[in-house]
């Protein structure tokens, strides 16, 4: 799963995909060529530049969520269909150089990379599994890292 965060791009989990990889992304019935432009191995996030992507970017929440906040995780059900599941933020967990969001919604392997939304439909995180943040935890990487990835991409282009 991947989420459009700016024109022609998607953010998703990388699970070991090396930077510069050439990928094919399916968006509905279309298949598009994609380049892996930024990878963050610590957080297992990557940014894809996708040729011909005509998806409207999603809005990123300006603030991190708080424990108890209602969230909605976009995933894939057993039939392979998209599913939006309601849950809550359990806690913000410190982990190495970043806080991660522990959520009440279980994340299936097919849902890794899916967006986690607040009640206004803004991205507050990117769901990830498997991860190294603790056993039996449902984790989302905070959306603040999306802006960090944008900054790193601009710096690398210079």
């Amino acid at each position: 799963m991947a989420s459009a965060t700016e024109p022609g791009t998607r953010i998703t989990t990388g699970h070991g995909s090396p930077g510069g990889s050439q990928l094919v992304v399916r968006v509905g019935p279309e298949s598009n060529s994609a380049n892996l432009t930024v990878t963050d191995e610590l957080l297992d996030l990557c940014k894809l530049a996708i040729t011909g992507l005509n998806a409207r970017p999603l809005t990123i929440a300006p603030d991190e969520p708080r424990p108890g906040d209602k969230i909605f995780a976009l995933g894939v059900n057993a039939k392979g269909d998209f599913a939006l599941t309601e849950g809550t933020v359990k806690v913000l967990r410190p982990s190495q150089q970043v806080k991660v969001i522990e959520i009440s919604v279980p994340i299936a392997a097919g849902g890794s990379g899916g967006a986690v939304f607040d009640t206004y439909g803004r991205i507050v995180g990117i769901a990830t599994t498997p991860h190294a943040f603790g056993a039996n935890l449902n984790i989302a990487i905070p959306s603040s890292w999306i802006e960090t990835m944008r900054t790193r991409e601009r710096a690398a282009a210079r």
Side-chain angles (χ1 to χ4, degrees):
M1 297 202 61
S3 299
T5 55
E6 55 190 278
T9 68
R10 296 265 174 139
I11 299 289
T12 190
T13 50
H15 300 313
S17 299
S21 294
Q22 293 285 324
L23 305 169
V24 175
V25 176
R26 285 199 69 196
V27 181
E30 297 178 28
S31 293
N32 300 47
S33 175
N35 292 316
L36 198 56
T37 60
V38 179
T39 59
D40 187 317
E41 292 181 17
L42 173 67
L43 296 175
D44 188 31
L45 287 178
C46 66
K47 182 175 183 180
L48 305 172
I50 304 173
T51 305
L53 178 65
N54 290 324
R56 191 177 108 225
L58 299 168
T59 302
I60 298 170
D63 302 311
E64 65 185 27
R66 294 185 298 231
D69 283 357
K70 185 184 290 189
I71 52 96
F72 299 88
L74 182 60
V76 178
N77 66 22
K79 294 180 185 177
D81 298 327
F82 288 116
L84 196 60
T85 306
E86 182 179 329
T88 58
V89 172
K90 291 176 84 172
V91 69
L92 299 179
R93 294 188 163 278
S95 177
Q96 295 182 15
Q97 301 133 342
V98 65
K99 279 190 265 182
V100 295
I101 307 165
E102 183 181 351
I103 60 177
S104 66
V105 178
I107 307 300
S112 188
V116 176
F117 300 98
D118 65 11
T119 56
Y120 299 101
R122 303 175 299 194
I123 297 176
V124 295
I126 303 295
T128 184
T129 191
H131 56 72
F133 300 110
N136 301 316
L137 299 177
N138 302 304
I139 297 294
I141 305 303
S143 60
S144 58
W145 280 91
I146 295 170
E147 185 57 38
T148 301
M149 292 178 80
R150 288 177 180 159
T151 303
R152 287 174 40 204
E153 184 177 38
R154 286 190 293 267
R158 293 183 194 154

